[in-house]
Amino acid sequence: MSTQAEKPNLTRRQFLAAGCAAASGAALGLAATTPAGAAESAGAPDIDPGYVGPQFFDKQEEQALLEVLEAGSPFRYWGPGRPLKVQRFEEGFARHMGARFALGVTSGTAALDCAMAALDIGPGDEVIVPAYTWWSDYTCVVHAGALPVFAEIDRTLNLDPADFERKITPRTRAVIAVHLLGGPCEMDAILEIARRRKLAVVEDCAQCVGGSYKGKKLGSLGDIGIYSFQINKTMTSGEGGALVTSDPLLYERAARFHDMGTIRQLFLDRIGAPGRAPMFAGENFRMNELTGAVLGAQLAKLDTMVGQLRRHALAIYDGIRDTPGIRLRQRPDPAGDIGYSVFFEMKDKESRDRCIRELRNRKAPASPLGGSVLLPIEESVVNKRARHPNWPSFLSPEGRAMRYGPECCPRTLGIYDRFVQVRVGAKYTQRIDDYLIQAIRETHRQFA
Ligand SMILES: *Cc1c(COP(=O)(O)O)cnc(C)c1O
């Protein structure tokens, strides 16, 4: 390794520091314009919820990244020095989530693919997925060669346990319980049904990283939990993902799948036993040390990020809950919700659209539900198009008979059409909370 003196430390540090300042300055635009900004005179504070993770970038991410750069060790398994960023991140993440094992991977989508491989899900199997969620919950099932079966969401905006049970067949192997839009699923009911019917539960916590359900961290309740660290989620490294489990065999199979089918001694040491799973064809979803460095620093701030989001969301919910006739999102554990947004339901799509238009006129960050897709009505899903026309998912008798489209999720489509989402920012001020409360109360009254 070359000496410290040869390295342009100052320049690099200054560059990173300037970048961090610019990024957080943009994200904190509201702080800069409150209380004396231009919008102030018009009566509305400047409201920009921003991206949560980057709002917390500081010297800790910078220092951790510099350590990797200065060591010249961006690869997790070898290189100069002893690369430990990903390894330490995995250990800290497992501890934080209350699971025995964690695996760092390249994305939440990759983590879902690992989950399907770990559970040995393949052709002939069915996996139940909510009709409204992100693409990856559907693509992981298709890539496994299994058949995705959609279940309705309910007013939690997550999987309806009763419809999940109705969709079980003798071929069902697993359910993906997605904690969407910052709010946990009805986990007691989902776990009870899954145990009784002997199904595996994968928790997709990509949109609820750091959330909990009745005191347990999301991801630790089912057989496998997955997370995303893409910029729109909570803690972030731009891209990245993780999987947690407390089952040594599932962990071994996930670790194998994420690394071509091979397994490193590190993972065998963690499970504390010789491996039980033979090698099989895998992928390369290995996390690099630069990502591990950023995530290690972000993990230390996760409770703070979630705490701040939660505080503002709870304040806004408290301020609007006695609005006459308002129907808030049903929250199975409000204390476990990460407070990504506040949600309420209007009587129909027309009043929802008017409500959103008026809130936007008032500079409130209001929108229909966002960040996911109504999967059963997407053209490529309706037409069961995989990457090859003879893909096994849709070749079985059940796959051929499967009819996706609006008929398979009418309730989900209705709920989607009626809900309003108002984003929450970790860096909001009390003045912004109060402004949003008043805007929501008045707008709701106008269009209810
Ligand atoms: C973002 C997301 C994923 C996938 O994560 P990536 O890191 O973007 O691959 C999976 N599930 C849900 C619900 C998501 O929101």
Side-chain angles (χ1 to χ4, degrees), residues 27-89:
L28 295 177
L30 46 97
T33 51
T34 308
E40 183 79 358
S41 54
D46 188 1
I47 305 173
D48 175 9
Y51 297 101
V52 184
Q55 290 172 341
F56 291 81
F57 283 166
D58 63 17
K59 290 273 176 223
Q60 285 166 285
E61 283 81 358
E62 181 189 343
Q63 182 55 39
L65 279 168
L66 281 173
E67 284 166 17
V68 175
L69 296 174
E70 283 167 7
S73 272
F75 182 63
R76 73 170 293 182
Y77 294 137
W78 59 77
R82 186 142 185 266
L84 285 172
K85 296 290 192 218
V86 176
Q87 185 174 327
R88 293 223 170 107
F89 165 67

Side-chain angles (χ1 to χ4, degrees), residues 49 250 254 256 445:
L250 294 181
R256 283 194 177 279
R445 188 181 322 134

Side-chain angles (χ1 to χ4, degrees), residues 67 126 129 168 243 260 284 375:
E67 284 166 17
E126 294 175 6
V129 175
I168 297 171
L243 172 154
M260 318 308 302
N284 173 5
L375 289 161

Side-chain angles (χ1 to χ4, degrees), residues 339-388:
Y340 177 80
S341 290
V342 297
F343 304 87
F344 56 95
E345 187 182 13
M346 302 300 286
K347 66 174 183 290
D348 54 26
K349 183 171 190 295
E350 194 188 343
S351 62
R352 183 216 47 186
D353 288 345
R354 287 192 179 150
C355 179
I356 290 172
R357 210 170 306 126
E358 174 58 17
L359 284 168
R360 285 197 178 159
N361 285 341
R362 293 169 176 248
K363 309 280 185 249
S367 67
L369 301 183
S372 285
V373 272
L374 291 161
L375 289 161
I377 60 169
E378 283 287 329
E379 185 273 336
S380 65
V381 176
V382 170
N383 290 309
K384 298 189 263 187
R385 197 178 310 113
R387 66 198 200 204
H388 188 281

